[in-house]
Amino acid sequence: MSQGSAADFEPHRPALRGLAYRMLGTVSDAEDVVQEAYLRWHGMDTDDIDNPRAYLSTVVSRLCLDRWKEARHQRETYVGPWLPEPVVQDNNGPDAISDLAHDVSFALMLALERLSPLERAAFLLHDVFDMDFREVALTLDRSESACRQLAKRARHHVQAARPRFAADPDQGARLAEAFFNASRSGDTQTLLAVLAEHVVLHTDGGGIRSAALRLIYGADRISRFFAGLARKKGQPPRWSRPVTINGLPGFLTLEADGMLQATSVALHDGRITNIYVIRNPNKLDHLAHLVPESLMNASKSDNGRFPHESPE
């Protein structure tokens, strides 16, 4: 009898983590699901498993579907716009979080969020992870024809969210930096120069930190919004670093109040079309290790608690 081992499992972990993250939208839950799949795999009889990747994808998908009942309730009661937990690559060093950072745009994740759990699973398993519909049907306990329809409906919604043209990385970095500096200083002229006319601002505070409770549309309104913030706060962040966030150029910052924030921008035709600001500390805990330890310790000392424990 052959038993499932770590050596057999680990080559599949990145793909399984990617599947779970796309299904659930949270880094922590994705890691938990993959670890649960490993625990089920470890020591089990694998003699009858011809395709370990497909088998493990099935296990992860079913675990995610089970978790979706709770996740859907949380989404329905969420305060303000919801964004997925960010996956980050540090532009000044080696890959900091995972190989997902270039392949899970916020637009794609928000499009997936509008699908039913079964549509989401059918699309991801077939279109992203190359599982044939016979295997998808077995995973979802549906007929092949039903799974084809699920994937087709999902594909229709997702295609519009995928960028048609790849953004130039250097241009993206320049625009992100220009936006970052202008938004912090309240420079409305520069903001109007870098923002597309119909730009959209998404701010996720989760009801824990201050954030706009609705999407904000248009370059004029958004530039005035950031100018108002600059007048109100005035203090620069304690630390900032350019990073890639879900495939987009952006910045990770330790704010003046000792709290983390992730900001990124999407581009088209040399202008910023979407701005994503994540302030909910529950979605940023996994990024705290990127901040210099001395600054995190100083934040704890200033606040009398860890940064992520102090709501604004």
Side-chain angles (χ1 to χ4, degrees), residues 16-204:
L16 296 174
R17 187 169 54 229
L19 172 60
Y21 175 78
R22 290 173 176 86
M23 284 286 291
L24 299 172
T26 61
V27 174
S28 54
D29 285 342
E31 295 286 1
D32 288 346
V33 162
V34 172
Q35 187 61 20
E36 186 171 347
Y38 169 71
L39 293 175
R40 295 189 180 194
W41 170 264
H42 185 69
M44 71 176 292
D45 182 359
T46 59
D47 284 340
D48 295 329
I49 299 175
D50 297 326
N51 187 338
R53 186 173 187 267
Y55 174 83
L56 290 168
S57 295
T58 294
V59 172
V60 166
S61 298
R62 289 175 176 171
L63 290 171
C64 288
L65 289 171
D66 288 342
R67 290 196 176 214
W68 241 101
K69 297 175 182 178
E70 180 181 354
R72 178 57 60 90
H73 175 71
Q74 292 174 346
R75 303 290 200 271
E76 290 172 350
T77 58
Y78 199 79
V79 178
W82 178 92
L83 290 171
E85 286 186 10
V87 287
V88 169
Q89 179 178 345
D90 182 357
N91 294 346
N92 292 335
D95 196 358
I97 299 299
S98 76
D99 52 13
L100 282 173
H102 286 284
D103 195 32
V104 282
S105 72
F106 285 122
L108 173 61
M109 293 299 294
L110 291 174
L112 291 173
E113 196 68 15
R114 292 189 285 270
L115 305 177
S116 73
L118 287 175
E119 287 173 337
R120 193 167 183 163
F123 169 77
L124 290 172
L125 290 173
H126 180 265
D127 286 42
V128 178
F129 292 90
D130 299 320
M131 189 180 288
D132 65 45
F133 278 114
R134 180 184 63 81
E135 294 171 315
V136 175
L138 291 172
T139 298
L140 301 183
D141 195 23
R142 297 291 190 277
S143 67
E144 287 189 44
S145 60
C147 290
R148 289 181 186 275
Q149 288 301 312
L150 287 168
K152 181 179 179 180
R153 289 198 298 269
R155 197 176 299 121
H156 174 75
H157 290 289
V158 169
Q159 283 176 342
R162 288 179 162 170
R164 298 180 181 180
F165 307 99
D168 177 77
D170 291 336
Q171 181 188 52
R174 289 194 300 271
L175 281 172
E177 183 175 12
F179 164 77
F180 181 77
N181 292 331
S183 64
R184 295 292 171 151
S185 65
D187 181 354
T188 56
Q189 292 303 311
T190 298
L191 286 171
L192 290 171
V194 300
L195 299 179
E197 180 181 358
H198 301 295
V199 61
V200 183
L201 171 63
H202 313 245
T203 60
D204 181 344

Side-chain angles (χ1 to χ4, degrees), residues 127-307:
D127 286 42
V128 178
F129 292 90
D130 299 320
M131 189 180 288
D132 65 45
F133 278 114
R134 180 184 63 81
E135 294 171 315
V136 175
L138 291 172
T139 298
L140 301 183
D141 195 23
R142 297 291 190 277
S143 67
E144 287 189 44
S145 60
C147 290
R148 289 181 186 275
Q149 288 301 312
L150 287 168
K152 181 179 179 180
R153 289 198 298 269
R155 197 176 299 121
H156 174 75
H157 290 289
V158 169
Q159 283 176 342
R162 288 179 162 170
R164 298 180 181 180
F165 307 99
D168 177 77
D170 291 336
Q171 181 188 52
R174 289 194 300 271
L175 281 172
E177 183 175 12
F179 164 77
F180 181 77
N181 292 331
S183 64
R184 295 292 171 151
S185 65
D187 181 354
T188 56
Q189 292 303 311
T190 298
L191 286 171
L192 290 171
V194 300
L195 299 179
E197 180 181 358
H198 301 295
V199 61
V200 183
L201 171 63
H202 313 245
T203 60
D204 181 344
I208 301 174
R209 297 187 68 198
S210 61
L213 295 179
R214 295 179 178 81
L215 302 181
I216 301 178
Y217 298 89
D220 184 61
R221 289 187 64 195
I222 291 172
S223 62
R224 286 188 281 110
F225 173 81
F226 281 111
L229 283 182
R231 287 193 300 270
K232 179 181 177 182
K233 294 188 175 182
Q235 292 179 298
R238 300 183 183 187
W239 170 89
S240 67
R241 173 168 291 176
V243 291
T244 298
I245 304 174
N246 288 67
L248 300 175
F251 284 82
L252 183 65
T253 54
L254 184 66
E255 296 298 305
D257 61 2
M259 304 286 281
L260 283 175
Q261 179 171 307
T263 305
S264 59
V265 296
L267 318 169
H268 182 64
D269 284 344
R271 294 290 184 96
I272 293 171
T273 57
N274 284 274
I275 305 161
Y276 303 98
V277 181
I278 300 177
R279 291 170 54 78
N280 183 345
N282 295 331
K283 296 185 176 183
L284 299 168
D285 282 349
H286 64 286
L287 303 178
H289 70 283
L290 295 176
V291 182
E293 186 175 357
S294 59
L295 288 175
M296 295 299 287
N297 290 337
S299 295
K300 178 184 176 182
S301 176
D302 290 347
N303 297 328
R305 64 197 69 171
F306 288 105

